Amino acid sequence: MSVPAMEGDLVTLESGVTEIKTDELMTWKFGHSETLIATINTIPGSFSTSPGDAVGFRDRLKLDHQTGSLTITNTTSSDSGLYQLSIRSKRKTTYRFNVTVY
């Protein structure tokens, strides 16, 4: 899915999930090198965007604790690229978003 944005905009990448199940592991990755930027692991109940802080998204990533959707605030051109969401429970599903910040 292609997602256009202007610098400074807020962009939400929808997970397609209405409610996270108790046995799901969700990972958000960025770029062709698939750098981990956020995780949701329902077994221990952890929601983390700290991997994204380590690669330049400092305090600009927000996870929806009900759906797993990822919001990027105050976008910059360096946020342009491929974002991947992997959802693992009984099976694995992957969603891809191509974000372009103008």
Side-chain angles (χ1 to χ4, degrees):
M1 168 186 272
S2 181
V3 181
M6 297 297 290
E7 280 206 5
D9 281 356
L10 173 137
V11 172
T12 299
L13 305 176
E14 299 290 341
S15 68
V17 173
T18 55
E19 188 173 355
I20 299 171
K21 295 179 178 60
T22 57
D23 62 344
E24 286 183 326
L25 170 65
M26 302 173 89
T27 57
W28 281 97
K29 295 181 180 181
F30 172 66
H32 292 290
S33 61
E34 298 185 12
T35 302
L36 181 67
I37 58 171
T39 60
I40 297 171
N41 190 342
T42 57
I43 299 298
S46 68
F47 294 76
S48 176
T49 59
S50 58
D53 291 347
V55 293
F57 289 97
R58 179 148 322 271
D59 298 324
R60 297 186 303 115
L61 298 178
K62 308 292 182 223
L63 282 171
D64 184 304
H65 290 207
Q66 181 177 346
T67 66
S69 296
L70 179 72
T71 299
I72 309 161
T73 61
N74 196 25
T75 57
T76 67
S77 59
S78 64
D79 299 333
S80 294
L82 179 66
Y83 291 77
Q84 286 190 146
L85 168 62
S86 293
I87 303 171
R88 292 185 188 148
S89 55
K90 292 179 177 61
R91 61 187 174 116
K92 181 179 176 184
T93 306
T94 302
Y95 297 97
R96 291 177 178 81
F97 305 85
N98 189 22
V99 175
T100 304
V101 180
Y102 298 97

XYZ file of all heavy atoms in Angstrom:
787
model
N 0.836 -1.167 0.000
C 0.000 0.000 0.000
C 0.887 1.239 0.000
O 1.852 1.321 0.744
C -0.910 -0.023 1.227
C -1.616 1.280 1.478
S -2.545 1.296 3.010
C -4.066 0.644 2.412
N 0.568 2.200 -0.819
C 1.315 3.446 -0.913
C 0.698 4.490 0.027
O -0.517 4.681 0.037
C 1.277 3.937 -2.352
O 2.011 5.126 -2.464
N 1.551 5.142 0.828
C 1.078 6.122 1.800
C 1.864 7.417 1.621
O 3.026 7.501 2.004
C 1.255 5.601 3.244
C 0.741 6.611 4.258
C 0.593 4.252 3.429
N 1.243 8.458 1.008
C 1.928 9.743 0.862
C 1.740 10.608 2.118
O 0.739 10.493 2.823
C 1.216 10.373 -0.332
C -0.162 9.805 -0.286
C -0.032 8.429 0.304
N 2.720 11.462 2.393
C 2.633 12.379 3.530
C 3.477 13.606 3.263
O 4.432 13.553 2.486
C 3.102 11.694 4.803
N 3.146 14.686 3.917
C 3.942 15.906 3.861
C 4.812 15.965 5.120
O 4.427 15.436 6.166
C 3.030 17.143 3.807
C 2.149 17.211 2.575
S 3.069 17.333 1.040
C 3.728 18.981 1.175
N 5.986 16.611 5.012
C 6.844 16.752 6.187
C 6.052 17.390 7.324
O 5.299 18.336 7.114
C 8.082 17.595 5.867
C 9.139 16.796 5.169
C 10.543 17.344 5.389
O 10.735 18.300 6.164
O 11.458 16.798 4.753
N 6.227 16.843 8.503
C 5.540 17.341 9.679
C 4.202 16.677 9.941
O 3.629 16.836 11.015
N 3.697 15.917 8.955
C 2.414 15.227 9.123
C 2.523 14.074 10.109
O 3.601 13.591 10.420
C 1.915 14.649 7.792
C 1.280 15.676 6.892
O 1.139 16.847 7.307
O 0.915 15.306 5.759
N 1.362 13.623 10.520
C 1.212 12.415 11.305
C 0.719 11.340 10.343
O -0.182 11.593 9.552
C 0.170 12.685 12.397
C -0.295 11.536 13.260
C -0.355 12.019 14.696
C -1.637 11.051 12.813
N 1.339 10.162 10.364
C 0.961 9.070 9.478
C 0.625 7.853 10.330
O 1.407 7.471 11.201
C 2.104 8.704 8.509
C 1.782 7.449 7.724
C 2.398 9.853 7.571
N -0.548 7.261 10.094
C -0.922 6.032 10.791
C -0.966 4.891 9.795
O -1.650 4.968 8.776
C -2.279 6.186 11.503
O -2.182 7.231 12.476
C -2.674 4.893 12.207
N -0.226 3.834 10.108
C -0.209 2.625 9.302
C -1.116 1.617 10.005
O -0.803 1.147 11.111
C 1.220 2.098 9.164
C 2.231 3.106 8.625
C 3.635 2.509 8.618
C 1.841 3.583 7.238
N -2.242 1.340 9.383
C -3.276 0.502 9.988
C -2.897 -0.974 9.909
O -2.498 -1.465 8.856
C -4.619 0.723 9.294
C -5.144 2.151 9.373
C -5.597 2.561 10.752
O -5.859 1.678 11.600
O -5.694 3.774 11.003
N -3.084 -1.678 11.005
C -2.723 -3.096 11.075
C -3.756 -4.002 10.409
O -3.449 -5.145 10.099
C -2.577 -3.521 12.534
O -3.846 -3.493 13.175
N -4.976 -3.507 10.240
C -6.041 -4.351 9.711
C -6.664 -5.242 10.771
O -7.528 -6.065 10.488
N -6.226 -5.085 12.011
C -6.723 -5.878 13.134
C -7.657 -5.006 13.955
O -7.350 -3.843 14.219
C -5.537 -6.355 14.016
C -6.008 -7.038 15.278
C -4.619 -7.263 13.211
N -8.801 -5.557 14.364
C -9.711 -4.771 15.208
C -9.387 -4.926 16.685
O -9.639 -4.036 17.477
C -11.183 -5.170 14.968
O -11.310 -6.575 15.165
C -11.626 -4.790 13.574
N -8.811 -6.073 17.032
C -8.394 -6.303 18.407
C -7.280 -7.342 18.424
O -7.392 -8.404 17.803
C -9.561 -6.788 19.263
C -9.249 -6.850 20.720
C -10.469 -7.166 21.578
O -11.573 -7.250 21.050
O -10.275 -7.342 22.785
N -6.203 -7.039 19.133
C -5.070 -7.947 19.229
C -5.484 -9.164 20.056
O -6.063 -9.020 21.133
C -3.858 -7.255 19.877
C -3.421 -6.053 19.030
C -2.712 -8.231 20.059
C -2.384 -5.181 19.707
N -5.157 -10.345 19.554
C -5.456 -11.586 20.274
C -4.363 -11.864 21.307
O -3.249 -11.384 21.203
C -5.571 -12.745 19.285
C -6.740 -12.596 18.335
C -6.778 -13.755 17.358
C -7.946 -13.683 16.417
N -8.011 -12.511 15.584
N -4.689 -12.684 22.277
C -3.764 -12.920 23.393
C -2.519 -13.708 23.023
O -1.566 -13.723 23.777
C -4.476 -13.649 24.546
O -5.015 -14.874 24.043
C -5.573 -12.801 25.145
N -2.510 -14.365 21.870
C -1.346 -15.180 21.512
C -0.568 -14.602 20.337
O 0.154 -15.316 19.663
C -1.787 -16.609 21.183
C -2.729 -16.673 19.982
O -3.284 -15.625 19.600
O -2.892 -17.771 19.429
N -0.693 -13.300 20.093
C -0.064 -12.699 18.920
C 1.266 -12.016 19.236
O 1.446 -11.438 20.303
C -0.994 -11.683 18.260
C -2.129 -12.348 17.516
C -3.022 -11.371 16.788
O -3.228 -10.248 17.261
O -3.531 -11.767 15.738
N 2.159 -12.119 18.255
C 3.403 -11.362 18.258
C 3.364 -10.496 17.009
O 3.192 -11.006 15.899
C 4.615 -12.293 18.208
C 5.970 -11.612 17.963
C 6.330 -10.686 19.120
C 7.050 -12.652 17.741
N 3.471 -9.185 17.181
C 3.456 -8.255 16.058
C 4.787 -7.513 16.034
O 5.252 -7.033 17.071
C 2.300 -7.252 16.192
C 0.932 -7.910 16.267
S -0.390 -6.735 16.615
C -0.817 -6.257 14.962
N 5.399 -7.450 14.843
C 6.649 -6.704 14.702
C 6.528 -5.735 13.539
O 6.026 -6.083 12.472
C 7.855 -7.640 14.469
O 7.614 -8.452 13.326
C 8.112 -8.517 15.674
N 6.977 -4.511 13.765
C 7.051 -3.486 12.733
C 8.507 -3.325 12.352
O 9.371 -3.177 13.226
C 6.516 -2.158 13.254
C 5.030 -2.067 13.277
C 4.208 -2.295 14.351
C 4.172 -1.702 12.191
N 2.909 -2.095 13.987
C 2.844 -1.739 12.667
C 4.397 -1.360 10.854
C 1.758 -1.428 11.861
C 3.312 -1.060 10.059
C 2.002 -1.088 10.558
N 8.796 -3.356 11.046
C 10.157 -3.176 10.546
C 10.174 -2.063 9.510
O 9.165 -1.791 8.867
C 10.678 -4.485 9.945
C 10.810 -5.577 10.994
C 11.337 -6.853 10.421
C 11.448 -7.897 11.521
N 11.976 -9.162 11.002
N 11.347 -1.439 9.349
C 11.497 -0.313 8.440
C 12.688 -0.533 7.527
O 13.744 -0.987 7.961
C 11.698 0.985 9.229
C 12.041 2.177 8.376
C 11.125 2.681 7.474
C 13.281 2.784 8.471
C 11.442 3.784 6.676
C 13.600 3.892 7.689
C 12.676 4.381 6.793
N 12.511 -0.176 6.249
C 13.605 -0.198 5.284
C 13.812 -1.566 4.670
O 13.285 -2.568 5.123
N 14.610 -1.560 3.620
C 14.894 -2.818 2.928
C 15.765 -3.736 3.775
O 15.804 -4.937 3.549
C 15.528 -2.546 1.565
C 14.551 -1.895 0.624
N 13.468 -2.565 0.109
C 14.462 -0.637 0.150
C 12.770 -1.755 -0.660
N 13.354 -0.565 -0.648
N 16.466 -3.174 4.756
C 17.256 -4.010 5.668
C 16.376 -4.574 6.780
O 16.851 -5.342 7.610
C 18.401 -3.204 6.272
O 17.882 -2.115 7.012
N 15.095 -4.184 6.779
C 14.103 -4.668 7.743
C 14.560 -4.452 9.191
O 14.598 -5.372 10.003
C 13.757 -6.128 7.479
C 13.139 -6.342 6.114
C 12.688 -7.774 5.878
O 12.642 -8.573 6.835
O 12.372 -8.088 4.725
N 14.878 -3.210 9.513
C 15.280 -2.843 10.866
C 14.057 -2.829 11.774
O 13.064 -2.157 11.497
C 15.928 -1.446 10.860
O 17.050 -1.468 9.972
C 16.367 -1.028 12.251
N 14.115 -3.583 12.863
C 13.020 -3.645 13.831
C 12.818 -2.265 14.460
O 13.773 -1.654 14.946
C 13.349 -4.671 14.913
C 12.289 -4.867 15.984
C 11.033 -5.507 15.391
C 12.841 -5.729 17.105
N 11.552 -1.772 14.448
C 11.280 -0.468 15.061
C 10.222 -0.532 16.161
O 10.110 0.391 16.957
C 10.889 0.603 14.011
C 9.669 0.182 13.202
C 12.086 0.928 13.118
C 9.106 1.289 12.310
N 9.416 -1.600 16.209
C 8.401 -1.706 17.256
C 7.932 -3.153 17.376
O 7.914 -3.882 16.387
C 7.208 -0.809 16.951
N 7.553 -3.543 18.605
C 7.044 -4.891 18.834
C 5.858 -4.878 19.789
O 5.772 -4.015 20.667
C 8.107 -5.828 19.444
O 8.524 -5.292 20.693
C 9.289 -6.016 18.533
N 4.995 -5.851 19.581
C 3.903 -6.124 20.511
C 3.946 -7.623 20.758
O 3.852 -8.413 19.823
C 2.533 -5.743 19.925
C 2.456 -4.247 19.665
C 1.412 -6.197 20.852
C 1.226 -3.817 18.897
N 4.129 -8.009 22.007
C 4.125 -9.418 22.381
C 3.088 -9.567 23.482
O 3.309 -9.129 24.610
C 5.505 -9.856 22.855
C 5.594 -11.358 23.014
O 4.581 -12.048 23.089
N 6.802 -11.865 23.073
N 1.954 -10.184 23.154
C 0.843 -10.234 24.102
C 1.052 -11.222 25.242
O 0.417 -11.087 26.271
C -0.471 -10.568 23.381
O -0.315 -11.803 22.689
C -0.857 -9.467 22.416
N 1.932 -12.200 25.060
C 2.143 -13.182 26.134
C 2.668 -12.493 27.402
O 2.055 -12.606 28.442
C 3.062 -14.345 25.682
C 2.451 -15.095 24.502
C 3.349 -15.299 26.842
C 1.116 -15.760 24.761
N 3.797 -11.733 27.330
C 4.163 -11.005 28.541
C 3.454 -9.646 28.641
O 3.609 -8.927 29.608
C 5.670 -10.810 28.399
C 5.902 -10.758 26.933
C 4.857 -11.676 26.336
N 2.693 -9.283 27.609
C 1.980 -8.005 27.625
C 2.864 -6.805 27.374
O 2.676 -5.752 27.974
N 3.845 -6.937 26.472
C 4.759 -5.820 26.221
C 4.468 -5.132 24.889
O 4.185 -5.784 23.890
C 6.213 -6.300 26.258
O 6.483 -7.145 25.177
N 4.529 -3.814 24.922
C 4.376 -2.951 23.752
C 5.593 -2.038 23.763
O 5.788 -1.302 24.725
C 3.114 -2.092 23.867
C 1.837 -2.876 23.835
C 1.402 -3.594 24.940
C 1.047 -2.880 22.698
C 0.230 -4.307 24.906
C -0.140 -3.591 22.654
C -0.546 -4.319 23.761
N 6.416 -2.077 22.706
C 7.655 -1.305 22.728
C 7.946 -0.639 21.389
O 7.884 -1.279 20.341
C 8.819 -2.217 23.096
O 10.032 -1.499 23.041
N 8.292 0.644 21.454
C 8.793 1.361 20.276
C 10.259 1.729 20.466
O 10.826 2.435 19.653
C 7.983 2.645 19.999
O 8.058 3.491 21.146
C 6.537 2.326 19.667
N 10.886 1.229 21.526
C 12.277 1.603 21.801
C 13.246 1.185 20.703
O 14.225 1.900 20.480
C 12.732 1.095 23.164
O 12.595 -0.294 23.254
N 13.026 0.064 19.963
C 13.941 -0.200 18.850
C 13.928 0.935 17.823
O 14.957 1.260 17.244
C 13.419 -1.504 18.241
C 12.671 -2.172 19.337
C 12.069 -1.039 20.122
N 12.769 1.547 17.603
C 12.666 2.667 16.671
C 13.392 3.899 17.168
O 13.951 4.670 16.382
N 13.403 4.088 18.481
C 14.134 5.216 19.059
C 15.619 5.108 18.733
O 16.292 6.101 18.502
C 13.947 5.265 20.578
C 12.531 5.641 20.995
O 11.750 6.097 20.125
O 12.201 5.466 22.175
N 16.113 3.880 18.684
C 17.536 3.651 18.441
C 17.947 3.934 16.997
O 19.125 4.109 16.717
C 17.906 2.209 18.801
N 16.985 3.990 16.077
C 17.325 4.204 14.661
C 16.727 5.491 14.088
O 16.477 5.595 12.905
C 16.926 2.987 13.787
C 17.773 1.789 14.133
C 15.452 2.681 13.888
N 16.509 6.494 14.954
C 16.130 7.808 14.455
C 14.677 8.216 14.587
O 14.297 9.298 14.158
N 13.842 7.385 15.183
C 12.437 7.748 15.347
C 12.147 8.294 16.750
O 10.999 8.389 17.147
C 11.538 6.525 15.119
C 11.462 6.084 13.684
C 12.258 5.051 13.220
C 10.575 6.693 12.802
C 12.180 4.626 11.903
C 10.501 6.284 11.492
C 11.300 5.252 11.036
N 13.161 8.660 17.474
C 13.047 8.999 18.886
C 11.748 9.729 19.252
O 11.477 10.819 18.783
C 14.236 9.842 19.335
C 14.145 10.224 20.787
C 15.421 10.360 21.548
N 16.484 9.438 21.278
C 16.652 8.259 21.903
N 15.774 7.859 22.781
N 17.685 7.507 21.630
N 10.950 9.046 20.075
C 9.694 9.584 20.627
C 8.664 9.964 19.560
O 7.749 10.733 19.830
C 9.969 10.797 21.525
C 10.828 10.441 22.724
O 10.666 9.329 23.269
O 11.666 11.271 23.116
N 8.799 9.441 18.334
C 7.848 9.787 17.284
C 6.987 8.603 16.855
O 6.152 8.735 15.976
C 8.577 10.356 16.062
C 9.311 11.647 16.356
C 9.918 12.313 15.136
N 10.832 11.447 14.415
C 10.617 11.007 13.166
N 9.534 11.328 12.514
N 11.514 10.233 12.571
N 7.173 7.434 17.469
C 6.374 6.264 17.145
C 5.387 5.988 18.268
O 5.747 6.009 19.444
C 7.264 5.029 16.960
C 8.279 5.077 15.837
C 9.114 3.803 15.835
C 7.597 5.260 14.488
N 4.158 5.711 17.889
C 3.114 5.371 18.860
C 2.422 4.100 18.394
O 2.064 3.979 17.217
C 2.069 6.493 18.964
C 2.635 7.876 19.223
C 3.234 7.992 20.598
C 3.749 9.401 20.823
N 5.008 9.485 21.461
N 2.231 3.142 19.305
C 1.512 1.912 19.001
C 0.123 1.966 19.600
O -0.040 2.354 20.763
C 2.248 0.705 19.600
C 3.466 0.204 18.858
C 4.189 -0.839 19.700
C 3.071 -0.377 17.522
N -0.862 1.574 18.824
C -2.220 1.450 19.335
C -2.292 0.108 20.064
O -2.103 -0.943 19.457
C -3.221 1.492 18.179
C -4.652 1.465 18.661
O -5.011 0.521 19.397
O -5.420 2.367 18.289
N -2.581 0.127 21.356
C -2.566 -1.083 22.166
C -3.768 -1.983 21.909
O -3.784 -3.118 22.382
C -2.477 -0.731 23.648
C -1.140 -0.181 24.018
N -0.608 -0.280 25.274
C -0.196 0.474 23.288
C 0.585 0.281 25.314
N 0.843 0.758 24.124
N -4.743 -1.520 21.173
C -5.896 -2.357 20.836
C -5.726 -3.007 19.465
O -6.049 -4.178 19.287
C -7.186 -1.547 20.852
C -8.406 -2.397 20.536
C -9.691 -1.612 20.633
O -9.738 -0.511 21.172
N -10.766 -2.173 20.106
N -5.199 -2.251 18.491
C -5.135 -2.753 17.114
C -3.722 -3.071 16.625
O -3.561 -3.779 15.643
C -5.734 -1.728 16.135
O -4.901 -0.564 16.116
C -7.160 -1.369 16.515
N -2.711 -2.519 17.270
C -1.340 -2.715 16.811
C -0.927 -1.766 15.704
O 0.187 -1.851 15.188
N -1.805 -0.845 15.316
C -1.461 0.138 14.284
C -0.320 1.027 14.770
O -0.182 1.285 15.965
C -2.683 0.994 13.936
O -3.686 0.192 13.359
N 0.511 1.486 13.832
C 1.678 2.300 14.144
C 1.471 3.713 13.629
O 1.126 3.909 12.468
C 2.927 1.698 13.489
C 4.239 2.439 13.707
C 4.716 2.249 15.155
C 5.303 1.933 12.743
N 1.684 4.701 14.491
C 1.597 6.104 14.096
C 2.980 6.732 14.190
O 3.680 6.568 15.187
C 0.606 6.869 14.995
O -0.689 6.268 14.848
C 0.530 8.336 14.613
N 3.354 7.437 13.117
C 4.608 8.181 13.068
C 4.240 9.653 13.134
O 3.477 10.145 12.292
C 5.384 7.899 11.770
C 5.536 6.399 11.543
C 6.738 8.605 11.786
C 5.869 6.029 10.115
N 4.755 10.367 14.117
C 4.453 11.787 14.253
C 5.597 12.614 13.694
O 6.730 12.142 13.594
C 4.198 12.165 15.720
O 5.377 11.893 16.479
C 3.032 11.388 16.305
N 5.281 13.860 13.329
C 6.290 14.814 12.861
C 7.211 14.188 11.807
O 8.428 14.165 11.958
C 7.092 15.357 14.047
C 7.862 16.597 13.676
O 7.501 17.318 12.743
N 8.938 16.858 14.389
N 6.608 13.672 10.727
C 7.370 12.958 9.698
C 8.407 13.846 9.019
O 8.223 15.054 8.888
C 6.440 12.379 8.621
O 5.663 13.439 8.062
C 5.542 11.299 9.171
N 9.498 13.204 8.605
C 10.548 13.864 7.834
C 10.827 13.015 6.603
O 10.394 11.856 6.523
C 11.854 13.999 8.650
O 12.390 12.691 8.872
C 11.616 14.699 9.977
N 11.573 13.551 5.650
C 11.858 12.804 4.429
C 12.617 11.515 4.715
O 12.492 10.534 3.983
C 12.626 13.667 3.431
O 13.841 14.102 3.995
N 13.373 11.466 5.802
C 14.103 10.240 6.141
C 13.184 9.112 6.605
O 13.617 7.966 6.727
C 15.182 10.514 7.195
O 14.587 10.941 8.394
N 11.916 9.429 6.846
C 10.931 8.402 7.212
C 10.367 7.698 5.988
O 9.621 6.721 6.120
C 9.771 9.014 8.008
C 10.224 9.642 9.312
O 11.259 9.204 9.864
O 9.553 10.577 9.780
N 10.692 8.193 4.791
C 10.219 7.556 3.559
C 10.837 6.174 3.436
O 12.012 5.975 3.754
C 10.614 8.388 2.331
O 9.950 9.623 2.329
N 10.036 5.223 2.966
C 10.559 3.882 2.747
C 9.519 2.816 3.008
O 8.335 3.096 3.181
N 9.990 1.590 3.054
C 9.133 0.431 3.232
C 8.968 0.103 4.709
O 9.951 -0.016 5.439
C 9.745 -0.771 2.503
C 8.984 -2.083 2.596
C 7.639 -1.985 1.871
C 9.819 -3.219 2.003
N 7.716 -0.053 5.126
C 7.377 -0.488 6.475
C 6.675 -1.829 6.356
O 5.816 -2.004 5.484
C 6.444 0.514 7.168
C 7.117 1.823 7.492
C 7.338 2.778 6.502
C 7.546 2.108 8.778
C 7.963 3.979 6.783
C 8.174 3.312 9.072
C 8.374 4.240 8.069
O 9.000 5.428 8.357
N 7.046 -2.770 7.223
C 6.431 -4.090 7.195
C 5.890 -4.437 8.568
O 6.573 -4.246 9.575
C 7.445 -5.174 6.824
C 7.827 -5.205 5.410
C 8.639 -6.455 5.083
O 8.520 -6.959 4.002
N 9.456 -6.953 5.990
N 4.675 -4.944 8.588
C 4.083 -5.460 9.816
C 3.942 -6.960 9.669
O 3.314 -7.440 8.713
C 2.704 -4.831 10.056
C 1.847 -5.491 11.146
C 2.522 -5.406 12.509
C 0.463 -4.881 11.170
N 4.514 -7.708 10.591
C 4.343 -9.163 10.632
C 3.522 -9.501 11.862
O 3.838 -9.043 12.968
C 5.686 -9.881 10.711
O 6.409 -9.689 9.531
N 2.490 -10.305 11.646
C 1.636 -10.751 12.743
C 1.752 -12.267 12.807
O 1.464 -12.956 11.829
C 0.165 -10.343 12.517
C 0.054 -8.836 12.342
C -0.698 -10.827 13.680
C -1.326 -8.369 11.900
N 2.181 -12.762 13.963
C 2.307 -14.214 14.144
C 1.391 -14.671 15.263
O 1.458 -14.165 16.376
C 3.734 -14.592 14.499
C 4.683 -14.379 13.365
C 6.057 -14.878 13.703
N 6.964 -14.473 12.632
C 8.220 -14.185 12.811
N 8.747 -14.251 14.001
N 8.973 -13.819 11.792
N 0.535 -15.599 14.940
C -0.265 -16.300 15.939
C -0.326 -17.747 15.461
O 0.690 -18.414 15.422
C -1.642 -15.667 16.121
O -2.337 -15.572 14.899
N -1.466 -18.197 15.006
C -1.551 -19.544 14.444
C -0.926 -19.601 13.052
O -0.495 -20.634 12.586
C -3.005 -19.991 14.395
C -3.600 -20.211 15.782
C -5.035 -20.631 15.702
C -5.615 -20.918 17.057
N -5.634 -19.811 17.971
N -0.892 -18.464 12.382
C -0.237 -18.344 11.077
C 0.436 -16.979 11.011
O 0.211 -16.128 11.865
C -1.244 -18.522 9.934
C -2.337 -17.485 9.936
C -3.409 -17.802 8.897
N -4.488 -16.855 9.043
C -4.838 -15.973 8.134
N -4.234 -15.946 6.977
N -5.812 -15.132 8.353
N 1.263 -16.786 9.987
C 1.976 -15.518 9.842
C 1.352 -14.712 8.712
O 1.097 -15.231 7.627
C 3.449 -15.762 9.527
C 4.248 -14.489 9.386
C 5.697 -14.762 9.093
C 6.433 -13.461 8.859
N 7.821 -13.679 8.476
N 1.102 -13.437 8.979
C 0.575 -12.506 7.987
C 1.514 -11.311 7.930
O 1.974 -10.833 8.972
C -0.846 -12.030 8.373
O -1.671 -13.167 8.588
C -1.450 -11.148 7.306
N 1.791 -10.840 6.714
C 2.673 -9.682 6.547
C 1.970 -8.610 5.721
O 1.357 -8.920 4.703
C 3.986 -10.085 5.842
O 4.630 -11.104 6.619
C 4.922 -8.901 5.692
N 2.039 -7.382 6.198
C 1.502 -6.223 5.472
C 2.675 -5.305 5.151
O 3.584 -5.135 5.971
C 0.480 -5.462 6.316
C -0.732 -6.270 6.670
C -0.831 -6.924 7.900
C -1.797 -6.399 5.784
C -1.951 -7.671 8.235
C -2.919 -7.142 6.110
C -2.984 -7.773 7.330
O -4.080 -8.516 7.658
N 2.627 -4.691 3.965
C 3.693 -3.773 3.550
C 3.100 -2.403 3.207
O 2.051 -2.325 2.576
C 4.432 -4.345 2.346
C 5.256 -5.566 2.681
C 5.921 -6.171 1.445
N 6.742 -7.301 1.795
C 6.274 -8.535 2.000
N 4.995 -8.780 1.883
N 7.092 -9.513 2.312
N 3.813 -1.364 3.626
C 3.404 0.013 3.370
C 4.603 0.749 2.797
O 5.688 0.714 3.388
C 2.979 0.705 4.669
C 1.897 -0.013 5.428
C 2.217 -1.030 6.316
C 0.580 0.314 5.250
C 1.247 -1.700 7.028
C -0.418 -0.352 5.953
C -0.080 -1.358 6.843
N 4.430 1.434 1.693
C 5.483 2.253 1.120
C 5.151 3.712 1.424
O 4.253 4.293 0.805
C 5.612 2.002 -0.385
C 6.836 2.679 -0.945
O 7.781 2.982 -0.220
N 6.831 2.925 -2.240
N 5.852 4.291 2.376
C 5.596 5.664 2.815
C 6.530 6.601 2.056
O 7.740 6.365 1.985
C 5.804 5.802 4.330
C 5.667 7.250 4.767
C 4.829 4.915 5.083
N 5.960 7.668 1.500
C 6.745 8.708 0.838
C 6.413 10.037 1.483
O 5.263 10.469 1.474
C 6.420 8.773 -0.672
O 6.636 7.486 -1.242
C 7.302 9.798 -1.372
N 7.426 10.667 2.069
C 7.250 11.968 2.723
C 7.806 13.032 1.795
O 8.971 12.982 1.399
C 7.947 12.010 4.099
C 7.747 13.365 4.760
C 7.430 10.893 4.994
N 6.964 13.997 1.423
C 7.341 15.082 0.515
C 7.704 16.330 1.262
O 7.223 16.606 2.314
C 6.181 15.409 -0.442
C 5.817 14.235 -1.314
C 4.760 13.403 -0.973
C 6.531 13.965 -2.466
C 4.414 12.331 -1.778
C 6.193 12.904 -3.285
C 5.137 12.091 -2.923
O 4.801 11.024 -3.724
